[in-house]
Structure formats: C-alpha cells, structure tokens
Amino acid sequence: MPYETMPERPAAEVTLPAAGEFLTVLRTTAAALAATADFIIDDIEDLRIAIDEACSVLISRAIPGTDLHCRFFVDDGALTIEASAHVIDRRPPPRSGFAWMVLTSLTTSVDAHVREPDELVVTMTRAGSKAKAG
C-alpha cells in the first residue's frame, strides 16, 4: 500500500516509552493484526522481526525520556506499520546498513524519512503470502 494512500484511521495505535523492554508489545500487536488479516505463520514471524529491527533503530537514536509511537494499518491483505520517535540523529538509517538489509528482506516495502524537526519515521508494509498470490 503506498504511504500516501494509507487509510486515515489506523487499526491500532501504540505509544510506549522508547526503550527496548517494550518491543514485545509492538511485536505482539503486529502479530495479532497480521493474524486477523490471514497472514501465514512465516509472514507473521517476518513482521515481528521487522518491527523489532525498525523500532530498535528508532530507540537507539531516541531523545532520552521520549516515546516510540506506532500506527498499524490493515488493508487488502497487507499490514503497514508507521513507527516514529523524536531522535537525536535525524538521518534515516543507511540503506547500505544491516538494519536496512533486514527491513528490505522482510517487508514488501520500507521507507524512512524525517517529519517535523526531530521525528524520524520508518514506514513498512508487508503483504501476506495470500495477498501476493492473488
């Protein structure tokens, strides 16, 4: 799903402290929403790893004491996740780096950009195998 055409209302929104101990909540949310979209187990596991990787990048750059915000959109057999945090280092992750390699291999599409003065946003979409086949 192109980012410009995401539904206005997300299926879920989660805001948590930007700290690693809260990643399990985001992995679980992604898995639950993917299951409702009839994703197969392999797709769900790929999403769990992808959200973990994207949010780890954001957490590592987050301004201390700030939050990590995730919005989840379900549409036509695909799950799009927009994760953002206010960060010290606004530069998107290097596209030649390990994190980007993981994200591009586990998602259908991924993008990173800066919004507002210090908010880094990573948006990724994963189409379920059933959606890809049909």
Side-chain angles (χ1 to χ4, degrees):
M1 165 185 346
Y3 308 122
E4 302 82 36
T5 61
M6 287 192 301
E8 251 183 67
R9 184 181 163 119
E13 288 189 70
V14 179
T15 301
L16 300 164
E21 60 262 31
F22 296 103
L23 287 175
T24 188
V25 173
L26 300 174
R27 287 191 299 265
T28 302
T29 303
L33 290 170
T36 66
D38 292 330
F39 279 36
I40 63 171
I41 290 291
D42 289 343
D43 294 339
I44 292 170
E45 286 306 309
D46 286 352
L47 263 174
R48 289 170 54 90
I49 296 167
I51 194 166
D52 192 73
E53 192 65 37
C55 291
S56 291
V57 167
L58 293 169
I59 288 168
S60 71
R61 298 170 176 215
I63 297 169
T66 60
D67 291 330
L68 178 65
H69 183 73
C70 289
R71 299 184 327 147
F72 300 82
F73 301 87
V74 179
D75 188 49
D76 291 335
L79 178 62
T80 298
I81 303 167
E82 179 188 83
S84 64
H86 292 279
V87 294
I88 296 166
D89 180 0
R90 306 171 358 132
R91 293 174 296 161
R95 295 186 189 262
S96 60
F98 179 75
W100 200 259
M101 182 185 71
V102 169
L103 290 172
T104 57
S105 67
L106 296 176
T107 61
T108 307
S109 63
V110 63
D111 184 48
H113 66 278
V114 175
R115 181 171 58 202
E116 299 182 15
D118 64 355
E119 184 179 22
L120 180 59
V121 180
V122 177
T123 306
M124 59 192 144
T125 298
R126 173 68 189 232
S129 293
K130 289 182 181 179
K132 286 189 254 180

